[in-house]
Amino acid sequence: MLSDELIGIVLNTLYVSTIPVFISALVGTPIALFLHLRGGRTALVFKMAFNGLIGMPTVLLGLLLYLLLSRSGPFGWLNLLYTLDAVVIGHVFLILPLYIAYVLTALEAVDPRIKELAAMFNLSALKTASIYFREAAGGIAGAPPRRTEGQWESWA
């Protein structure tokens, strides 16, 4: 029924589209949690930098990766240019700022009193981060926000 070539194309597509999302989630979630819990000017600068990277043109990103991965570039010895792994790397750099901004938005919707409660119970930073993550999991997963009283009356 299905040719081997078609199965190979489908598997390559799944590889190139799912692996970057998982890598971005594994890397971006701790970064977003750290930036949100840390606060301050440094965190604000990094938040603005990630928001700025969302608008990076893909052609510019491709050119930068080409310069890094070409034979004369600093990572040329890896021979990754024109491979699926290079596409995965490019997709990670495209998705990571989007993912971090999305998670930061979900974390900002979490009740800020949780931080005070964690300090009151003398919880570790890791335990506090896990509580924040659990509270923001619905927003991270893309669940719609809960409707509060009188929230959308102006739309009617």
Side-chain angles (χ1 to χ4, degrees), residues 13-84:
T13 302
L14 288 173
Y15 172 74
V16 165
S17 60
T18 56
I19 298 298
V21 172
F22 289 127
I23 292 172
S24 295
L26 286 174
V27 173
T29 302
I31 291 173
L33 281 167
F34 176 77
L35 289 176
H36 182 73
L37 292 175
R38 171 104 159 95
R41 290 184 185 191
T42 307
L44 182 63
V45 167
F46 277 103
K47 286 179 187 181
M48 290 183 348
F50 283 118
N51 285 333
L53 286 174
I54 290 173
M56 176 185 251
T58 54
V59 173
L60 177 63
L61 179 63
L63 179 63
L64 291 174
L65 285 175
Y66 175 80
L67 291 173
L68 289 172
L69 298 176
S70 66
R71 290 180 194 248
S72 59
F75 300 108
W77 57 274
L78 294 172
N79 294 323
L80 288 175
L81 196 60
Y82 304 120
T83 64
L84 290 177

